[in-house]
Amino acid sequence: MKIPQITNPKTSIKECDIITIPKIEDPRGNLSVIEKDVIPFVSRRVYYLYDVPSGATRGGHAHIEQHELLIALSGSFDVILDDGINRKKITLNRPDKGLYITRGIWRELENFSSGSVCLVLASDVFKEEDYIRSYNAFTLFKNS
């Protein structure tokens, strides 16, 4: 099994945090804006998860270099973060709160409510070589 290499695989879930997205309140409906000073990286890709079947999980991987911001645009879901030592569950259920996930953190998404939508802003375009898709490879990576 090939162990992916980065300059520092020792990232921690302590580096992952909830980011408040500015909200403009208006009786006609609220508006939130994500600009360059809101998140700690430049977004190069945006995608979203929706119509996730009841009981299904998403994620189940880590990134070697990529950073992400996850936002529950609608509904709710849980994100399990794992740095190889510590695990933490965070529930996302507000469109003005996003979860910043730094590189080198295993993530699993579960407990999607009906009609939930998860928006993801990523620091880079899709690169398969940036993914660690096996938990065993992830633990080897974290201990390298």
Side-chain angles (χ1 to χ4, degrees):
M1 179 181 310
K2 184 179 176 192
I3 301 171
Q5 296 296 315
I6 64 167
T7 54
N8 181 11
K10 304 299 181 194
T11 53
S12 163
I13 60 174
K14 293 176 186 172
E15 298 171 55
C16 301
D17 201 7
I18 296 293
I19 292 176
T20 299
I21 300 163
K23 178 170 67 170
I24 300 166
E25 295 187 38
D26 187 303
R28 300 170 297 164
N30 298 329
L31 171 73
S32 287
V33 179
I34 301 171
E35 295 180 322
K36 65 180 181 177
D37 59 340
V38 173
I39 58 177
F41 60 88
V42 174
S43 178
R44 298 200 52 219
R45 180 168 60 127
V46 176
Y47 63 95
Y48 47 97
L49 306 169
Y50 59 99
D51 292 342
V52 178
S54 177
T57 60
R58 297 297 310 234
H61 64 269
H63 289 284
I64 299 167
E65 293 290 346
Q66 183 171 279
H67 301 251
E68 292 183 337
L69 181 73
L70 280 60
I71 304 166
L73 291 182
S74 178
S76 65
F77 53 89
D78 295 330
V79 182
I80 311 301
L81 301 175
D82 184 328
D83 62 15
I85 298 171
N86 302 297
R87 288 178 63 89
K88 181 177 181 180
K89 178 169 81 170
I90 297 171
T91 300
L92 294 177
N93 58 10
R94 294 182 52 190
D96 64 335
K97 302 288 183 188
L99 174 60
Y100 167 67
I101 304 176
T102 191
R103 66 185 185 177
I105 301 295
W106 187 265
R107 81 285 316 273
E108 297 173 7
L109 286 70
E110 60 185 24
N111 297 325
F112 286 84
S113 68
S114 178
S116 61
V117 178
C118 172
L119 177 71
V120 181
L121 282 72
S123 65
D124 207 350
V125 297
F126 177 82
K127 295 178 185 172
E128 182 60 37
E129 62 272 16
D130 186 59
Y131 283 74
I132 304 172
R133 297 189 184 273
S134 154
Y135 191 79
N136 287 338
F138 171 71
T139 57
L140 290 171
F141 165 75
K142 293 300 276 189
N143 293 314
S144 63

